[in-house]
Amino acid sequence: MTQRICLDGATLSIDDVVRIARADAQVEIADACRAEIVRVREYIDRHWLKEGAPAVYGFNTGVGKLKDYTISQADNDRFQLNIVLSHCSGIGEPAPQDVVRAMLAIRINAFCQGVSGLRIEVVDRLVEMLNKGVHPVVPIQGSVGASGDLAPLAHVVSVLVGHEAAEAWYQGRRMPAPQALAQAGIAPVAFALKAKDCLALINGNSLCAAMAALNVHDAELQTKQADVAGALSLEAIRGEQAAFDARIHVARRQRGQIDVAANVRRITAASERTTEAARREHLPDDVLHPTHSARVQDQYSFRCLAQVHGACRDNLAYARTLITNELNAATDNPLVFWDDKGQLEFLSGGNFHCEPIAFAMDIVAMSLAEIGSISERRLFALCDNTLSYGLPPNLAGHPPGLNSGYAVISCSAAAVASENKGLCFPASVDNIPTKSNQEDHVSMAAWACRKARQILDNLPKIVGIEFMLAARAIFLTEGQLGRFALGTGTAAAYRALRDAIPFQPNDSYMPAQTGPAIRLTASCALLDAAERAVGKLD
C-alpha cells in the first residue's frame, strides 16, 4: 500500500523526506494549510494586484538588483515567465532523482505555512508532479546558497510551466517537459504563472535542504555501520573490551560516546575471541611478544573508537536538528503576515540564506572524514603484525613473499581517506559576492552538501575494506583461534562477508573481494546483518 504523508509546514521529518524521495511515498496538503494559502491569495488579488498599488517586491517590481523597476499589471504574466527563462542557469550533471523528489516535497511543505502568497493552483501542480513521478532535470551546479537555490529551482519551474526546452524524467525516461506532463496526465501542459508565483517557487533553499536531509540520513546509517566494522576489527586483533565498559563512558557524559560503546558491547556480546584465554594463544607472526603478557590496552584507533565515533554521532545529531528545522521553514522573500487589523503586510528579509545548511553539511563532512580516518588506521593495523599481535604480515597467505597479501588495498583506503580530508575545507567560510554586490555574502551551502555527499560516497570504500580485512584476519587464524567464538553481532557480519567474498589461502584477484565488501557496506547490509542478530543499535 502506497504511503501518504500529510504536509503541514511544521512536522516534516528527515525520515519522511527519505520515504518520499526513495520509496515514492505520496504527499497531500493539510486542509487547514490549503485554506490559509487560499485566504492569503484572495487578499493579495483584491488589494495588491491592481494598477496604482504600492510597490511590493516581486509582486509588481523587478527582482534582485532590479527591485526599483515597476512591473505593470499587463506585463506581470510575461514577467513571471521571464524570471523562469533567465534563472534557468544551472550547469553540470543532473541532480539524482531522489534529490529532486525531496526538493519538490520540501518546497511544497514550505508553502503550507501560508506566508508565501502564491496561488493554490501552483502548489497543487507541484503535488501532482511529485505524486505522478514527473521529476524535473535539475543541473546540480549553480547555487551559491544565498537567494536560496534560484537556478536549480528555476529548472523545476520550467517543467511546471511546460516550457518546450525543459526536460523531465518520467517512468525512467528523460524527455521534454510537455511530453512528460502529458504522459503523466497533468493538464494543462502549458501553465501560466501569476504575480509572486515564480518568486515564491524559486526563492528558497529546497535543493540544499533536500541534499542535506538525505546526507544526514545516510551518514547516520554509515556511522552506525562503522561501529560494526570497528567491532569486527577488535575481534580480529583479540582486543581489550575494558575500553568499552559503560562506567568509563558515563563518566565522560557525552551521549554519542555512550551509545557507541553500548553498540560495541552488544555487537561483541558472548565473544570469546576478545577474552584473555584467546589472547594467550601465541600466533607465529607475533614477533614482539614471544611470551604472553597482559595486553592492558590497545592503540587509540581501537581503544578510542567510542570517543571518536561518538563525537561524530553528536555532530550528526546537531546537524539533524538544524536540517529538520529547515525542512519546515518558509524560505522565500518577501513573506506575508496578517497584522492585528486583519490586513496583510509584506516583510522583506533573508530566510533564503542557507547558512544553517552550510554549517550543518561542513560539520557532517568533517565527521564522516573522521570516521573514515580512524577506520583506515584500524585496517592499517590489521596488516602490520607488530600492531595486530601476530596476524600474518599484510594478511598474506603462506609463504609470505611469494604471497603479497593486502598491503596495496590498504593503500587504496589511505588514498580515499586522504581525498576526504581535502574535501573537508569548509564551504561556509568561502564567500564570493554575486549580482552586483546585492548578494554580498553567500553561504556556498550547495557545495557543502555536494562535497559532504562525495565523502559519504567514499566512506563505504574505506569501511568496506576494513570489513574485508577484519574478515580476512579471522579467516586466516581459524585454524588456531577458530574455537573461540565471535560475538553475536560480529559473527553475523562475518558470515555475511564470508558468503560474499571468496577468500583463498593465497593471493587472489582483489576486485573479486573488494567489490562485494564495498557493495555490502554501501547498502548497509552488514549493519542489517548485525542488527538482525542483536536488535537495533543506538
Side-chain angles (χ1 to χ4, degrees), residues 159-203:
V159 173
L160 180 144
V161 301
H163 192 272
E164 64 274 9
E167 291 185 299
W169 293 95
Y170 180 66
Q171 294 185 343
R173 293 177 54 225
R174 183 171 174 170
M175 62 186 70
Q179 182 181 343
L181 294 167
Q183 289 190 16
I186 300 175
V189 170
F191 183 85
L193 298 175
K194 304 296 183 182
K196 185 54 165 69
D197 286 345
C198 185
L199 191 56
L201 287 164
I202 70 171
N203 194 198

Side-chain angles (χ1 to χ4, degrees), residues 349-368:
N351 280 2
F352 46 66
H353 202 291
C354 297
E355 194 81 349
I357 297 176
F359 275 129
M361 290 299 100
D362 282 341
I363 291 168
V364 167
M366 289 185 286
S367 302
L368 293 172

Side-chain angles (χ1 to χ4, degrees), residues 259-316:
D259 288 345
V260 171
N263 283 347
V264 173
R265 291 196 303 274
R266 288 174 63 193
I267 296 163
T268 59
S271 169
E272 296 173 354
R273 192 174 170 118
T274 56
T275 61
E276 191 65 22
R279 285 189 287 272
R280 286 183 180 279
E281 289 290 322
H282 183 266
L283 296 180
D285 293 301
D286 190 356
V287 296
L288 291 186
H289 309 95
T291 59
H292 174 73
S293 60
R295 181 82 61 91
V296 182
Q297 58 188 23
D298 297 313
Q299 59 260 50
Y300 284 5
S301 57
F302 294 90
R303 181 166 29 124
C304 299
L305 183 156
Q307 286 80 359
V308 175
H309 286 203
C312 296
R313 290 278 201 91
D314 289 336
N315 284 343
L316 295 182

